[in-house]
Amino acid sequence: MHLLIVNHHYYRDEPKSRSIFPSTQQSLDASIEVLNSHGWRFIDENLLCQSINNNLFPMGKHVFFTFDDGLKEQMNAYHHLLSKGIQALFYPSTMTIGSKSLLDVHQLHYLRHKISDEDIISSLPSIHKNNINILQQDLCNSQYRYDCPSAAKLKYYINFYISAAKRKCLLNSLYEIFHLDQEHIAKNLYMDVHDLKSLSQSSSIGSHSHSHRPLAILDTDDLREELTLSKHVLEDITGSRIRGISYP
């Protein structure tokens, strides 16, 4: 058995920006056509789990479409794919449910979507500017090879150089400086309980951890908490067993 996972995040009919690269209905349909023409067939979670449990895997090439983060716009993809008989899998981070704030990753995406990297850097307190200036450009470029030098430095500094607590504090202060309404953005960006229940009806939901922290860098206790809490929250809401995870 050959298994291909095609992962998506944003799903919207608008041009890509410096920080948001959405899939569209047109690009999704084009992907389906290409995959089908090369002999790939879509598989659902139930069949995959049965194959794993029985250690008996179907022959041929099989593919999943997955969507991470629990963005409300992904519900349009969910309904569109169902109309084509395709069951995609959606993996929300449970901290977003009913939240009045954004996950760090989306805070930075939206900030860079609205404000230039140069303006962001110029608005930083001096200590942050100085720290960014001394970062090795090659190190930043190795992590963000498709970004321009200033963007690579800014993203590396916020995502890797400073602690999680300092990152949240810095992003919140930048939202205040640029008058961005985080609560309003979060309310419209993330799935709600009704959306999660809809996904569970077709076994199309799994975990993307609780707070979207990179699981590979967590200690054992934090890792267990991230996974257990997310699983319990989703199972309490949907009444369904959560069997899969797409790790951040």
Side-chain angles (χ1 to χ4, degrees):
M1 177 185 184
H2 297 279
L3 182 64
L4 174 67
I5 309 295
V6 183
N7 182 244
H8 306 78
H9 290 82
Y10 294 96
Y11 182 81
R12 53 181 69 172
D13 288 320
E14 65 178 43
K16 67 181 181 180
S17 69
R18 292 175 301 105
S19 61
I20 295 177
F21 301 87
S23 299
T24 65
Q25 181 174 315
Q26 183 178 7
S27 67
L28 211 60
D29 288 343
S31 297
I32 294 169
E33 184 176 346
V34 169
L35 288 165
N36 285 336
S37 69
H38 286 80
W40 291 92
R41 297 295 176 259
F42 285 88
I43 190 173
D44 61 36
E45 186 185 56
N46 288 329
L47 179 56
L48 180 61
C49 289
Q50 289 173 12
S51 300
I52 293 172
N53 290 336
N54 297 327
N55 196 28
L56 185 63
F57 298 91
M59 299 295 291
K61 300 188 294 187
H62 301 274
V63 58
F64 272 122
F65 276 170
T66 65
F67 292 79
D68 286 354
D69 296 348
L71 308 180
K72 193 170 186 67
E73 60 207 56
Q74 295 169 354
M75 293 303 295
N76 295 321
Y78 168 68
H79 292 296
H80 178 64
L81 291 170
L82 274 187
S83 72
K84 292 177 171 291
I86 296 173
Q87 181 209 57
L89 289 169
F90 296 78
Y91 298 95
S93 293
T94 48
M95 182 180 278
T96 65
I97 303 169
S99 175
K100 296 183 178 180
S101 62
L102 297 165
L103 295 174
D104 294 353
V105 60
H106 300 130
Q107 257 189 300
L108 184 56
H109 285 175
Y110 192 85
L111 179 65
R112 296 186 62 246
H113 182 60
K114 293 294 184 181
I115 311 296
S116 71
D117 294 318
E118 292 74 20
D119 286 343
I120 295 171
I121 293 173
S122 68
S123 299
L124 294 173
S126 296
I127 186 172
H128 292 296
K129 288 182 187 175
N130 293 337
N131 288 338
I132 287 177
N133 287 334
I134 65 175
L135 285 175
Q136 294 182 5
Q137 189 69 60
D138 289 347
L139 177 63
C140 301
N141 292 346
S142 67
Q143 183 68 37
Y144 298 106
R145 66 187 65 183
Y146 301 113
D147 287 288
C148 68
S150 60
K153 274 196 167 185
L154 176 65
K155 291 168 68 174
Y156 189 91
Y157 181 73
I158 290 178
N159 289 327
F160 293 99
Y161 188 85
I162 57 178
S163 68
K166 288 182 178 179
R167 177 169 56 248
K168 177 58 73 175
C169 183
L170 177 58
L171 288 170
N172 286 343
S173 68
L174 287 168
Y175 268 59
E176 292 180 4
I177 290 171
F178 293 110
H179 306 289
L180 300 174
D181 188 345
Q182 186 174 178
E183 182 176 349
H184 176 75
I185 298 167
K187 181 179 179 181
N188 291 281
L189 183 63
Y190 296 125
M191 293 179 183
D192 56 26
V193 169
H194 174 74
D195 297 324
L196 302 180
K197 289 181 177 180
S198 295
L199 293 176
S200 72
Q201 291 174 2
S202 58
S203 300
S204 295
I205 191 169
S207 167
H208 196 45
S209 80
H210 180 64
S211 64
H212 202 276
R213 290 190 290 170
L215 300 186
I217 65 174
L218 301 184
D219 62 34
T220 302
D221 289 339
D222 286 343
L223 177 61
R224 183 180 292 108
E225 182 180 4
E226 281 285 326
L227 300 181
T228 302
L229 179 57
S230 173
K231 187 175 188 292
H232 287 170
V233 169
L234 290 174
E235 289 181 343
D236 286 346
I237 290 173
T238 66
S240 301
R241 182 186 174 199
I242 300 300
R243 298 179 291 185
I245 179 171
S246 174
Y247 57 88

